[in-house]
Amino acid sequence: MNLFVIIKAMIIKCDLLIKNGKVVLPNKIENVDIAVKDEKIILIGLNLNVEANEIVDASGKIVVPGAIDAHTHLAMSYKTTFSADDYFTGTRAALCGGTTSIIDYPCQTKGVSIKETLKPRFEMCQKDACADYSFHCAITDFNDGEILNEMDEACENGITSYKGYMVYKKEGMMLSDQMISTLLKRTKEVGAILNLHAENYEMLEERCQKYLKEGKTSPWYHYMSRPESVAAEADKRAIRLATNLKAPLYLVHMSDKEGLEAAIQAKQAGFDIKIETCPHYLEFTNEVYKRVDGINFVCSPPMKNKESQDALWKALNDGYIDTIATDHCPFKKEEKLWGKDDFTKTPNGCAGIENMYPYMLSKANEGKTTFETVVKVCSYNPAKIFGCKNKGSIEIGKDADIVIFDPNKDFVISVKNMHSNYDYTIWEGHKCHGYIDSTYLRGKLVFKDGKFLGKRGSGKFIKRTRYNRG
Ligand code: DUC
Ligand code: ZN
Ligand code: ZN
């Protein structure tokens, strides 16, 4: 064999080569090529000399890892209905918005084990999920201690995070402070992390009753019954409970300045407090509840004042926000209207799964934050915190979950160009400066030029590693 033949034989063959893009790597942005084979990133470098079945020219585009939405409520049962997106439409929409993995929140019914809670969810996802998926399990009852015993085995099986609600008492979901402390202790012991929804139930319930008695029934009173102070009290209590035990705590959907500041202080004092916020708190304020379509924005916690919103943006850019996730939980218009004469009857939740990454990336494109920050909070950090060891960055050996973002493509969000199963969106009319060009899930093209190209049931379960033990 002559030298030419030997060198030719050594040239690596790969499935996909993404060339000439500006790639957001873990600690820098570089113009490099990415080679993908068998669902994994196998090479990253300048002018890679590889053969590829498919070559994509990403000149002028920004290449980022697929986002991980660590907070969704798909097929969530509520009274006589379900949240509008199931695991098919929800994960289809996710992929179309550059989110390649989700971590959903099944909720335990009292008396039921973790395994039994998750079983139907696994079945639904195996059949329906188009994106990769995992679950946090919301705990409502210890079943005489069985749940606590079961947690170690559940962690072994990849379920390494749990959730507690400090609200939803009437729905049987609220935990006492004692139960929260027990869960904080147990999650720390087994190498899991506890996620808390922090609002003060007694404070908000008293306000709800007062407003209803006074005939104040509009969506504005949803906000008024759960204002900044109601979230702040619970945020601070949750932080106290966790720091007291030196246990890790993940505060979901942080929305208020006072709670945020308390969490930042605890972080600065060396405690392991993680902060999640959502795009809707960064974009909207409580003013939305005065709009004619204010009812559509009813979610808990509600959007807060401008001061809180500014504090969230500052904390994001100062590096204190750990993750951004959506709390995706849309309901149909008709269902939202259950609350038209009584705000407490409105199903809580808004859409976001397809909007998070385009919104955040376009904010980076506009200079309100940086691409590195967006990648950190939407991909790298959720992967690290929740033990998705093959996800979260463009690195050799990771899953080839790759998004190509076109900074020059403007896009106006409308219910008509989304891929969910809802019939309105709070993001209607929002202009994104730059948009997702294409999404790859483990090297497969699943979204391009506005079209979903993925496959129902092709999402894989993400068996997560224990907290900080990955
Ligand atoms: N809040 C919402 O708005 N929806 C789902 C659950 C929650 O806590
Ligand atoms: Zn919540
Ligand atoms: Zn939620």
Side-chain angles (χ1 to χ4, degrees), residues 71-73 105 163 165 197 252-253 300 327:
H71 191 155
T72 66
H73 298 274
Y105 274 109
K163 185 180 192 182
Y165 287 96
H197 173 134
V252 299
H253 48 48
S300 291
D327 204 3

Side-chain angles (χ1 to χ4, degrees), residues 17 36 42 65 89 193 242 257 341 438 440:
L17 178 65
V36 173
I42 58 159
T89 61
I193 185 163
K257 185 180 180 196
D341 301 319
S438 41
Y440 291 84

